[in-house]
Amino acid sequence: MPEKIVAGNWKMNTLPEQGLTLSESVLGALPEILGCKVILCPPFTHLDRVIRLLKGTSVLPGSQNVSAYKQGAYTGEVSADMLAAMGIQYSIVGHSERRQYFSERGDTLKNKLVRLKEVGIIPIFCVGETLEERESGQEGTVVLTQLNEALPETLENSTELVVAYEPVWAIGTGKTASPEQASEMHGVIRQDLIHRYGSSIGGEISILYGGSVKPDNAAELFSMDDIDGGLIGGAALNAADFISIIKAFK
Ligand code: PEP
């Protein structure tokens, strides 16, 4: 069975103190037995403090981005080695906002995955189609191309990679893909991963759904075939909502 995961992507929200308060509220409200792995991805500026707070708890720290370069004269970049040295275990790569506003695609994303692999950080690799692409029936082709452009040729085990299907038209818009639409696309991704890595690895990689997941739709989405959890944006900024989403797995 693929591991069940709920990850919170705070994006460029919260100041450090607010981020710590949010983390404390999440930790304080978590039931002792969780039905899934929980990951928090704060902005870089709060990572160190959040990591210290999470140490020894069941919640794991993740970053929202990583440099495609290993080290050197790349002003403003944060390398995979730096993240690993801080204790980061997961990193989001290829989020649609990075693709849209920072023109990240293809080789850049592939190199980010290589950098993470070198230091043992697990990528949460995001794919998803725009509204125009869905309306013209290209969602499957778009997502398969995004996987093909960046994924490594081989994996040693299924826990080295997490994929997140995030239809761009559903991110931060309040429009959620229907459970059937999401499950259909997760099935397309699952088949591709099996084809790429074989069933013992490709069949076990966690595939998360992201796009306006809220407490009232999480349980239904998470009950669908091949939906192994969620990447949560807006609702991850509210501890009560995020906890309700985590509890949707119980
Ligand atoms: C996201 O940014 O990854 C996301 C899914 O955002 P939201 O939950 O706000 O749609």
Side-chain angles (χ1 to χ4, degrees):
M1 281 273 283
E3 192 170 36
K4 306 292 182 198
I5 298 174
V6 173
N9 173 15
W10 296 358
K11 312 193 187 193
M12 198 170 71
N13 292 301
T14 71
L15 293 175
E17 289 304 331
Q18 295 166 318
L20 282 178
T21 304
L22 177 56
S23 306
E24 276 163 359
S25 306
V26 169
L27 281 177
L30 275 185
E32 277 171 18
I33 299 173
L34 292 175
C36 63
K37 183 175 262 181
V38 177
I39 301 167
L40 296 183
C41 303
F44 283 133
T45 48
H46 329 353
L47 271 183
D48 195 39
R49 290 174 73 183
V50 171
I51 288 169
R52 284 166 208 245
L53 186 74
L54 299 183
K55 203 165 180 169
T57 75
S58 56
V59 180
L60 301 171
S63 67
Q64 298 174 20
N65 191 19
V66 62
S67 178
Y69 299 101
K70 190 158 175 62
Q71 68 167 74
Y74 301 103
T75 302
E77 289 285 271
V78 176
S79 74
D81 298 75
M82 293 169 185
L83 295 173
M86 291 175 84
I88 282 295
Q89 297 173 42
Y90 288 85
S91 179
I92 299 171
V93 173
H95 191 281
S96 64
E97 289 150 13
R98 305 269 345 150
R99 292 177 188 266
Q100 185 181 351
Y101 304 129
F102 304 96
S103 306
E104 290 188 3
R105 48 185 56 83
D107 280 352
T108 300
L109 299 178
K110 193 182 183 98
N111 289 337
K112 290 185 179 214
L113 297 187
V114 171
R115 296 285 87 81
L116 292 174
K117 191 177 169 85
E118 285 168 353
V119 298
I121 296 178
I122 301 165
I124 302 175
F125 183 65
C126 303
V127 294
E129 79 286 358
T130 62
L131 186 58
E132 278 160 334
E133 289 162 344
R134 175 160 280 268
E135 284 176 349
S136 58
Q138 295 177 73
E139 63 273 20
T141 322
V142 167
V143 163
L144 291 175
T145 304
Q146 291 170 340
L147 293 171
N148 208 34
E149 280 173 347
L151 290 191
E153 271 173 33
T154 57
L155 286 181
E156 276 124 54
N157 65 63
S158 59
T159 52
E160 277 175 52
L161 172 70
V162 174
V163 174
Y165 169 60
E166 300 207 307
V168 180
W169 48 272
I171 296 179
T173 58
K175 285 185 202 161
T176 318
S178 70
E180 293 72 24
Q181 282 173 320
S183 180
E184 186 185 351
M185 289 302 292
H186 281 232
V188 169
I189 295 168
R190 174 71 66 213
Q191 285 317 308
D192 181 73
L193 295 174
I194 289 175
H195 178 69
R196 213 175 269 282
Y197 303 121
S199 55
S200 62
I201 292 182
E204 298 293 312
I205 292 170
S206 304
I207 308 175
L208 314 185
Y209 169 77
S212 299
V213 178
K214 305 281 179 228
D216 60 0
N217 59 22
E220 197 182 359
L221 284 161
F222 296 167
S223 72
M224 301 300 287
D225 282 349
D226 287 317
I227 301 188
D228 306 309
L231 180 53
I232 319 300
L237 293 170
N238 178 303
D241 286 352
F242 191 58
I243 291 291
S244 303
I245 292 169
I246 292 167
K247 286 186 180 169
F249 268 120
K250 284 197 86 185

